Amino acid sequence: MSGSAVEYRLQPVSRVAGRISVPGDKSISHRAVMFGALARGRTEVSGFLPGEDTLHTAQILRQLGVAIERSAETSLRIDGVGLHGLRASAQVLDCGNAGTAMRLLAGLLSGQRFASTLVGDESLSRRPMRRVMDPLLRMGACIAGTQAGTAPLRIEPAENLRGIDYNCPVASAQIKSCVLLAGLYADGETAVTEPAATRDYTERMLAALGADVVVDGLAIRLRPGRELQAQPIFVPGDFSSAAFFLVAGAIAPTGEMLIENVGLNPRRTGLLDTLVEMGADIVVLDRREIAGEPVGDLRVRASALRGVDVPEARVPDMIDEFPAFAIAAACAAGRSSVRGAHELRVKESDRIAATARGLATLGVEVEEFEDGMAIEGRADFGGGQIDSRSDHRIAMAFAVASLRARSEIRILDCANVATSFPGFPKLAASVGLDIGVFA
Ligand code: S3P
C-alpha cells in the first residue's frame, strides 16, 4: 500500500474510557514464524499479530518452502521443515517496512546452501544494514548490499560459517538475533555480547525449542548442532501498541481505561517506569506468566504529569516508545529530556526529527539534540498538520495528542500504521478519540 494515501483527522476530545486489548507482539510474532519454520514438527501460534510486517515474514517463509496456514485471524499453523529444510525462492524476498524481518533473515539465510535477495520498501531501503553485514562477513558469510550499506541484500551460499565472539557496538536485539541465527549454521560456538541488555525473545525462544543457548550477563552463547523441536507459541499483546493507549489515558483530562493481556517483559516496559515517575496513575493488575513471558492488565487513569529526564540506561527498554513518550512530555508540567538515543535517527523514520517537527507544529517548545531532545510541557497546545513520514509510531503518537489539542490535528502518510497495529483507528475511536480516516 502506498504510505502517502491515508490521512488521519482528529478533532479535540477530553475523555477516553473503555476496556480494550491490543494486537499481538510484533517482535515475538516475527520470531514465532521464523523459528516455527526451522523447527521439526507443527507449531501452533496464537495471538499472532496480523500486521503487514509480520505477514511479510510469513510470506517469505512460504516462498522458502514452509507450509504456513492462517488457521484464524490471529492463529498460525506452521509445518516446520527443520534447520536444513528451507528451499531457494526464485523471487526476491520482500520484507516491506520490517527491519526485524530483514535483519534476522539476513542471519538465517547466510547459513543456507542457496542464494537469496532481501528487499524492502523505501524506508527500509534507507536503513543501515552494515551493522548486520559486518558480523556476518566475519563469520564467513557471502552477503552484499549497496555501496551505502543498505538493502537490497544479496546473500550467496557460504563455504562454511565460523562461530565468532562478537562485541556488538550497538544495543540492538536485531543485530544480536541476526548473529545468533547465523550461529545455528556455524562451526563452533557463537557468542554475542551486548553493550546493554535488549529484548531477549530470540535467546528465550531458541532455548525453549531446544537450542543450546546460555545467557551469561550481557553475553549470549549458542552452540550449534541441536535440532529445534516445535512448541506451541502464545503471543501476548504488544506493549509498544499499548503504549499509545497508556499515554492517551494518562494525558486525557478525564477517564479510565483497562488494557488487557499486555506483554510485560522488562526489556520492553521502560515507558511504564517513566510514566509512573512522571506521576501517571497506572497500575498493573493480575500480573501473570504465560509461556514464560510476564503478562498483565494495565489500568490507567487521567493523571497530572510532571517532566522527567529519562535515564540513558533505560533507553533500550523503551526504544520504540519515544514518540509516545514525547506526547506525554508535552503534556507534563516542566521540562523533560532524553539523551543517548541516537538510534532513534535510524528507525522507520528519523524519529528525533519527526517528533520534534511535529511538536513544534503544535506549538510545543522542543530542543533537538543529535542523540535526543528536550520538551517543555504545557497545559494544552494547538492543532495543525503533521507529517508522519510514513512512520507508524509517529502517526499513532500524534493521534493521541488530540486529547490536549485545541483544534484539529491532521496526520499525513498513515498507511503504515497497518504494519504494526491493524485496526488502530477503530480501537482509538472505541475509547473516545474522534478520528477520521481519509484515503
Ligand atoms: C526489534 C528490535 C528493535 C526495535 C524493533 C524490533 C526486534 O530494533 O526497535 O522495533 O524485534 O528485535 P533494534 O534492534 O534496531 O534496536
Side-chain angles (χ1 to χ4, degrees):
M1 203 192 298
S2 143
S4 52
V6 177
E7 181 179 318
Y8 291 170
R9 291 182 203 155
L10 291 117
Q11 308 309 322
V13 288
S14 56
R15 176 180 163 80
V16 283
R19 185 183 184 126
I20 57 170
S21 52
V22 294
D25 186 279
K26 180 150 73 81
S27 293
I28 300 179
S29 294
H30 278 299
R31 288 162 173 83
V33 174
M34 293 181 204
F35 301 169
L38 296 181
R40 282 191 185 283
R42 175 168 282 185
T43 297
E44 303 273 2
V45 185
S46 51
F48 178 73
L49 167 67
E52 287 173 7
D53 276 11
T54 44
L55 292 174
H56 273 286
T57 294
Q59 182 51 31
I60 288 173
L61 270 308
R62 283 193 192 103
Q63 280 179 247
L64 297 170
V66 183
I68 301 178
E69 196 193 316
R70 276 282 279 288
S71 39
E73 175 63 9
T74 61
S75 302
L76 290 187
R77 182 169 298 146
I78 306 169
D79 284 313
V81 295
L83 283 174
H84 299 281
L86 297 177
R87 293 196 311 264
S89 165
Q91 265 81 49
V92 297
L93 306 172
D94 183 4
C95 300
N97 193 241
T100 305
M102 183 168 282
R103 296 201 176 109
L104 270 61
L105 287 168
L108 197 168
L109 292 168
S110 289
Q112 308 303 316
R113 297 199 182 89
F114 54 81
S116 308
T117 303
L118 290 165
V119 301
D121 71 3
E122 211 185 306
S123 148
L124 184 53
S125 301
R126 279 196 303 265
R127 296 180 66 187
M129 293 296 149
R130 281 209 181 100
R131 51 181 55 200
V132 289
M133 288 194 281
D134 286 346
L136 290 173
L137 289 168
R138 277 184 48 195
M139 296 177 83
C142 298
I143 180 167
T146 65
Q147 282 235 306
T150 54
L153 300 181
R154 176 74 183 163
I155 301 166
E156 303 284 345
E159 278 294 299
N160 240 343
L161 294 188
R162 297 177 294 277
I164 56 170
D165 195 339
Y166 191 58
N167 269 314
C168 198
V170 188
S172 159
Q174 293 179 357
I175 303 177
K176 166 177 66 176
S177 304
C178 167
V179 175
L180 292 173
L181 281 169
L184 289 172
Y185 296 92
D187 288 337
E189 178 179 286
T190 293
V192 182
T193 305
E194 307 188 86
T198 64
R199 64 193 71 190
D200 55 0
Y201 304 121
T202 295
E203 47 273 44
R204 286 162 76 119
M205 286 173 78
L206 283 177
L209 300 185
D212 184 354
V213 183
V214 175
V215 178
D216 177 8
L218 291 173
I220 300 103
R221 296 174 204 290
L222 178 140
R223 264 185 303 212
R226 288 199 199 155
E227 278 291 342
L228 307 179
Q229 302 300 335
Q231 300 278 337
I233 298 177
F234 301 92
V235 186
D238 197 323
F239 182 86
S240 295
S241 296
F244 301 105
F245 289 93
L246 277 183
V247 170
I251 68 168
T254 63
E256 171 176 328
M257 267 190 298
L258 186 70
I259 314 165
E260 294 179 315
N261 191 39
V262 183
L264 297 176
N265 181 306
R267 298 281 71 82
R268 298 292 302 283
T269 51
L271 179 73
L272 183 57
D273 302 334
T274 302
L275 288 174
V276 168
E277 274 173 29
M278 294 173 82
D281 182 351
I282 300 175
V283 288
V284 179
L285 301 172
D286 193 14
R287 196 184 270 276
R288 53 206 185 264
E289 202 164 282
I290 301 181
E293 282 292 325
V295 173
D297 305 329
L298 300 171
R299 193 200 65 201
V300 55
R301 290 181 172 149
S303 313
L305 301 179
R306 44 184 186 272
V308 72
D309 297 319
V310 177
E312 271 196 46
R314 193 184 290 155
V315 167
D317 291 346
M318 54 183 288
I319 192 64
D320 290 337
E321 277 59 78
F322 284 99
F325 163 74
I327 301 303
C331 302
R335 185 177 162 97
S336 295
S337 73
V338 51
R339 301 300 300 255
H342 191 269
E343 276 294 295
L344 297 178
R345 299 252 179 222
V346 292
K347 293 293 177 189
E348 286 84 327
S349 70
D350 174 342
R351 285 188 177 154
I352 295 176
T355 304
R357 171 67 68 87
L359 288 178
T361 299
L362 302 184
V364 177
E365 209 181 300
V366 47
E367 191 180 348
E368 187 177 330
F369 311 117
E370 188 46 33
D371 65 345
M373 62 189 114
I375 296 163
E376 208 57 63
R378 39 189 302 152
D380 62 5
F381 34 71
Q385 183 163 295
I386 307 292
D387 183 358
S388 81
R389 305 187 187 199
S390 261
D391 184 328
H392 53 141
R393 300 202 199 282
I394 299 292
M396 290 186 275
F398 281 93
V400 163
S402 63
L403 284 156
R404 289 286 187 96
R406 289 184 302 270
S407 56
E408 180 184 76
I409 296 181
R410 277 189 182 212
I411 311 173
L412 308 182
D413 223 354
C414 295
N416 275 341
V417 166
T419 61
S420 68
F421 204 146
F424 169 77
K426 207 169 152 203
L427 197 62
S430 81
V431 297
L433 291 193
D434 182 344
I435 180 169
V437 179
F438 297 83

